Every structure is written in C-alpha cells, then in structure tokens.
Amino acid sequence: MDGPLLRAAYPAGEACTVTRGPEGTSSHTGPCNEYAWDFGIPADYEVSAARAGTIVFSNRSPYRQNGIEALIRPPNGRCTHCAHLNRSCHEPGDRVPQGRIVGRSGSTGASTAPHLRFQVIDCDSRVGLPATIQGRAPYARTRPVSVNQLRLTGRTVHRPGPPLGPYPLGRFRAKALLGRGPLGGRAAERSVVVRGQEGAERAASIRPGRSGRGP
C-alpha cells in the first residue's frame, strides 16, 4: 500500500490472533473478499483507523453479509474496510487520524462469533486489494502486536504497558470499561495520556458508560 505504513486496526500494544487469512477456501473467496483478514477480537472492543483518511461509509452495509462497517479513504484512494462491527462512530465526510477509534467490534452480518474483518479495497468497486499490515502479511494463527498509536497535534497518545500475553484479549479491560474489573496489573494497560483540547475531548469520549453514537 502506498504512503505511510498501514497499522493494525486495534489499539497499540494488543496482540490479536489472525483466525482466518486471505484467500481462504470456505470464506474470503472471490474478488471482494480474497485479501481479507479475520482477527479474533471480543465484542465491543476498540477498532482503530489503520491509516488516516476520510470516512466514506459508517453504518449498516448495503451488503448484508458485512453487517455494520466502516470504510476510510486515505489519500491514495485505497479504502481500509472494517466489517462485522457492533457500532460505527463517525459520519461520512469526517476526517480521522491514524489510530482514531472508528467503531466497536462485533458479530453483525454473516458472522458466527465476534471478530474484526479487515481488508484494503478499491473505494469505488469494493474489489479487495493485496496489502500488508505493519510491513507484513500476517497468516492464520499468528498474533500481530499493534503499533497503532493516535497522534494529536504532533504528540503521541501513549498507551503504556506490554501486550496482554497469555491473557484472553480484553478479559480484564472489558470488565474495567464496564466498571466491574480491576484497573491495575498487566491487563490494565489502556490508560491514555493526551494533551490539548482535542486530546481532552478524546479522553472524554472513551470514558466507561458513555452512551450514544461515538466511541
């Protein structure tokens, strides 16, 4: 993919298992799906912009099997596509920086369990395009560690802490977001340090229990 490196579409420091890679036999076949990845992510987990761009579509897809989806058009015209979401967070025309939350993972559309379907597609035809994530094309059963950090006015949003390692992804974090779990230890790594007005708005946008449209 031309331009800046395409990042994993989940928060920095997290390691998510590729449950299905491109060019599968039972799914991920045909011109619109052959280069897609499935990542094993629990429901309502943060889905981040893999690259900066403009929201093209953010709602329930006209293609039933995709469920709720988010399409982002970067400057090179090749959209990043996140599907099977439980919720999308923006409106068409919104500009989003790399790392911005664009939705929450789910199991909408043709899906049997929560996961994130991610691919790069032609923005107009929706035909899938070959791509790499963080310089590689991860294959099934690997666990790419995301380096997708949100940058605001030249400053990085720091997400401290190592990957969750052997812990199930988001087990403690999901409970903490709902106010039912611990905030300390290895799994409580999602504290966010932000600066400036936009940073303060972002911090407010991810407080536990926030309702309505948005992350």
Side-chain angles (χ1 to χ4, degrees):
M1 191 171 188
D2 301 332
L5 194 66
L6 193 72
R7 308 293 186 183
Y10 43 88
E14 298 286 19
C16 297
T17 301
V18 178
T19 57
R20 193 179 301 273
E23 301 184 28
T25 55
S26 59
S27 66
H28 295 189
T29 59
C32 295
N33 301 291
E34 59 183 331
Y35 296 113
W37 286 276
D38 283 349
F39 291 93
I41 297 179
D44 296 316
Y45 205 75
E46 293 175 6
V47 174
S48 309
R51 190 177 173 195
T54 302
I55 298 290
V56 175
F57 189 89
S58 180
N59 209 323
R60 188 166 292 276
S61 175
Y63 303 93
R64 181 194 59 81
Q65 64 270 26
N66 290 342
I68 296 173
E69 63 183 4
L71 274 71
I72 304 172
R73 184 194 296 267
N76 70 359
R78 299 178 178 181
C79 282
T80 56
H81 179 214
C82 299
H84 306 308
L85 306 178
N86 270 356
R87 182 168 49 149
S88 58
C89 300
H90 296 279
E91 299 290 344
D94 289 352
R95 289 277 303 165
V96 293
Q98 181 175 278
R100 175 78 74 193
I101 298 173
V102 296
R104 297 283 175 172
S105 57
S107 188
T108 57
S111 170
T112 58
H115 71 285
L116 170 65
R117 179 174 170 234
F118 176 82
Q119 62 178 330
V120 174
I121 64 174
D122 181 276
C123 293
D124 299 317
S125 68
R126 285 183 172 250
V127 169
L129 300 170
T132 59
I133 298 174
Q134 299 173 178
R136 303 186 178 210
Y139 52 88
R141 295 183 295 279
T142 58
R143 289 172 54 82
V145 178
S146 175
V147 293
N148 194 351
Q149 292 181 319
L150 177 67
R151 292 182 180 276
L152 297 175
T153 59
R155 299 178 185 270
T156 299
V157 173
H158 179 51
R159 297 176 179 272
L164 292 180
Y167 296 111
L169 174 67
R171 183 180 64 176
F172 292 98
R173 182 168 181 272
K175 290 181 180 179
L177 287 174
L178 295 172
R180 298 200 299 266
L183 291 175
R186 294 179 64 196
E189 60 189 36
R190 292 283 73 81
S191 60
V192 179
V193 178
V194 291
R195 295 179 177 85
Q197 181 177 355
E198 187 176 357
E201 291 172 356
R202 170 167 167 74
S205 74
I206 58 174
R207 287 174 185 161
R210 185 176 186 265
S211 60
R213 192 172 177 80

